[in-house]
Amino acid sequence: MQTNIKLTAALLSLAFAAGNPAHASSHREAPFLTHSPKVDGTDFYMFRSYGSESDSTVTFIANYLPLQDAYGGPNYFDLDTEAVYEIHIDNDGDAVEDITFQFDFNDVINDLKVPAGGEMVSVPLKNIGAIGPLANGTDNVTSRQTYTVTRINGVRRSGNSSSVTNSSDGSATFMKPLDNIGNKSISDYAAYAADHVYSITIPGCTDTGKVFVGQRREGFAVNLGEIFDLVNTNPVGPRDGETNTIANKNVTSLALQLPISCVTQGTEPVIGAWTTASLRQARILNPSPTADAFTGGNNGKKASVQGGAFTQVSRLGMPLVNEVVIGLKDKDRFNASHPSADGQFATYVTNPALPELLEILFGVTAPNKFPRTDLVSVFLTGVTGLNQPASVTASEMLRLNTSTPVTATASQDSLGVLAGDNAGFPNGRRPGDDVVDIALRAAMGVLLGNDPDAGDNTLPYTDGAIVSASDFDESFPYLKTPIAGSPAN
């Protein structure tokens, strides 16, 4: 694709997404969330569905609970039943959600026991026998989770709400598969997980969609440890010259596939979206929790009691923003904020720290053009002619033009718009878009062209850990089967 105004504008949005060295998109990025990993949003994807899926739909994937070790039993990685997880959609450009899909989780306890010396004793494990591959194979399971999905029209806490239901039986309750314990417990995890992909009826929508919530293999690629060690790598080396240090981790995905007609408004094809998680304001710890509470009895005392209004503690739209743009002192504030209030973080955009750090660490010349207005307009509004709505309020979120033609899997370029693939980042984000390299190059001034203050802006900056569409499935929910906690016997 020839360099032109549209491409230049598209790249502007990338630069804000890399105000510091590229790290995992949003893994353990804010101080408070290190205490609450179950509500830590790690990545957010939004793209027009491709592969074997209908391109008349949009796929949303919100990943939570970072850096899961597959062997992390016996509790593994359930989501927080005291939290609400949400995907918000703004379809008129005013920086306020018009549609929210809210996920609520519930524990289902089956107090399985075995005889031991004349006593029936509760078992200490998630399961006491093989599971699956069908979703109804729960007789051997001691603890699992179900969830509901609610569509909210208007502002998320005060809009009109209605239940998303299973198209097959009308139920409003869906099952979350157990995590991939190992091959002895779940012999065919891919089939087991696929049985938890549900066709859904969405209030206000003519066509059906799909939902899946469960563990998947981590899809983000980054040379994480060396990046955090003062960028202890070669930032202008080969794109595949380093190790993806989180390749052996899992993550939990909340995935929705929705008809385009269900998420757009009128003739406007551009939507913006972000994901959040919220907790109750108050928590009281019980020094003497009782077993009856765990098994569902009425007289038991839980380990903690939550109360008060829900308070947002996690937020993710564009990748890398809170991880590497927002200063440490403001990371919790960003997580609690709303896109409509993003002006408070403007200094992090106009005066980014990354170029100065790389200049010190590697002797490259950073752009010397302040304020960095080249980083501002498109990050906050979308790209004119690509993914900017007709009317827009400046705000940070992932934006997608749902009328942009899909790029077939084999033809997708991991550098997205930077390489002429307009169906890629920053026009939404597909799993195979290498947002680290794209953002890093833009932050180092690629948009400034021949400006005398552009510095070494033509170097091919990279973290050395590459990702592409071939690393993912071609069907919903796209992210690969999670790593098993133990090998086959």
Side-chain angles (χ1 to χ4, degrees):
M1 177 176 164
Q2 294 181 343
T3 302
N4 53 33
I5 294 175
K6 178 188 291 187
L7 177 58
T8 300
L11 297 177
L12 288 172
S13 66
L14 309 181
F16 178 84
N20 209 337
H23 303 155
S25 187
S26 190
H27 300 58
R28 291 179 58 82
E29 85 289 352
F32 176 77
L33 285 181
T34 62
H35 301 278
S36 303
K38 289 187 177 185
V39 290
D40 188 354
T42 68
D43 279 289
F44 183 58
Y45 304 91
M46 175 176 62
F47 53 94
R48 193 166 168 182
S49 306
Y50 60 88
S52 64
E53 304 295 329
S54 169
D55 64 3
S56 65
T57 65
V58 175
T59 295
F60 303 81
I61 305 172
N63 288 344
Y64 282 87
L65 220 172
L67 306 177
Q68 297 177 17
D69 290 317
Y71 49 81
N75 291 298
Y76 296 95
F77 302 99
D78 290 343
L79 292 178
D80 193 337
T81 60
E82 301 293 340
V84 291
Y85 301 80
E86 294 168 312
I87 294 174
H88 311 280
I89 302 169
D90 171 18
N91 58 23
D92 60 9
D94 65 353
V96 178
E97 63 273 13
D98 299 292
I99 306 170
T100 292
F101 289 91
Q102 184 181 95
F103 294 75
D104 292 271
F105 292 87
N106 183 57
D107 289 331
V108 179
I109 305 300
N110 184 12
D111 185 22
L112 298 179
K113 301 179 180 181
V114 295
E119 298 285 344
M120 295 301 293
V121 181
S122 298
V123 300
L125 305 177
K126 276 274 191 181
N127 60 300
I128 60 171
I131 306 164
L134 298 179
N136 59 6
T138 59
D139 291 343
N140 293 322
V141 177
T142 61
S143 174
R144 60 185 176 89
Q145 288 194 311
T146 62
Y147 64 96
T148 60
V149 184
T150 302
R151 172 176 171 153
I152 303 171
N153 293 328
V155 178
R156 58 179 169 173
R157 298 290 179 256
S158 59
N160 297 321
S161 62
S162 48
S163 296
V164 172
T165 57
N166 188 326
S167 299
S168 299
D169 60 14
S171 170
T173 300
F174 303 93
M175 290 181 60
K176 174 181 176 291
L178 268 68
D179 295 336
N180 197 355
I181 297 169
N183 297 296
K184 187 175 182 179
S185 291
I186 308 172
S187 60
D188 187 347
Y189 194 88
Y192 171 67
D195 205 44
H196 292 79
V197 174
Y198 298 97
S199 174
I200 54 175
T201 299
I202 309 153
C205 302
T206 301
D207 298 323
T208 59
K210 294 181 181 180
V211 68
F212 170 82
V213 174
Q215 190 180 55
R216 307 309 290 167
R217 185 165 185 165
E218 174 64 80
F220 198 80
V222 65
N223 180 20
L224 193 62
E226 293 181 354
I227 292 295
F228 278 119
D229 184 22
L230 296 179
V231 196
N232 187 15
T233 184
N234 181 5
V236 293
R239 289 188 64 203
D240 61 352
E242 299 288 348
T243 300
N244 175 15
T245 53
I246 59 174
N248 64 342
K249 304 296 183 181
N250 293 327
V251 72
T252 300
S253 295
L254 284 64
L256 280 172
Q257 190 177 96
L258 304 173
I260 291 175
S261 60
C262 185
V263 296
T264 55
Q265 182 175 157
T267 59
E268 176 57 71
V270 176
I271 58 175
W274 66 101
T275 182
T276 65
S278 301
L279 294 170
R280 295 288 188 182
Q281 287 182 334
R283 172 177 294 178
I284 300 175
L285 300 181
N286 184 354
S288 301
T290 59
D292 193 43
F294 178 77
T295 57
N298 294 325
N299 297 320
K301 297 179 180 179
K302 294 183 177 181
S304 66
V305 177
Q306 285 76 37
F310 279 110
T311 298
Q312 181 182 305
V313 296
S314 180
R315 169 189 169 191
L316 183 59
M318 291 278 285
L320 303 168
V321 171
N322 204 13
E323 184 83 8
V324 299
V325 176
I326 305 300
L328 187 64
K329 69 183 181 66
D330 285 328
K331 289 182 182 293
D332 287 332
R333 183 154 65 104
F334 179 86
N335 268 340
S337 68
H338 190 272
S340 60
D342 282 341
Q344 64 186 309
F345 304 111
T347 300
Y348 291 117
V349 187
T350 58
N351 298 74
L354 168 64
E356 312 309 315
L357 292 174
L358 288 186
E359 182 172 282
I360 295 170
L361 293 170
F362 295 100
V364 295
T365 302
N368 188 29
K369 193 175 183 67
F370 300 100
R372 290 287 300 273
T373 54
D374 60 312
L375 311 185
V376 177
S377 61
V378 178
F379 161 70
L380 295 172
T381 63
V383 182
T384 301
L386 182 68
N387 66 341
Q388 183 183 110
S391 176
V392 63
T393 298
S395 53
E396 186 276 308
M397 62 183 70
L398 198 59
R399 289 182 173 88
L400 172 69
N401 188 334
T402 60
S403 67
T404 302
V406 168
T407 301
T409 308
S411 300
Q412 289 183 21
D413 195 299
S414 63
L415 292 178
V417 175
L418 186 64
D421 183 358
N422 280 356
F425 183 74
N427 187 16
R429 179 190 176 191
R430 303 166 303 196
D433 290 336
D434 195 345
V435 296
V436 173
D437 284 6
I438 299 169
L440 185 57
R441 295 180 188 194
M444 290 305 295
V446 69
L447 313 180
L448 297 175
N450 295 323
D451 191 299
D453 294 321
D456 291 333
N457 66 332
T458 61
L459 296 176
Y461 295 99
T462 180
D463 74 317
I466 198 168
V467 66
S468 70
S470 62
D471 297 320
F472 302 92
D473 292 335
E474 290 194 79
S475 60
F476 182 84
Y478 291 97
L479 272 65
K480 289 283 191 180
T481 298
I483 298 170
S486 74
N489 294 316

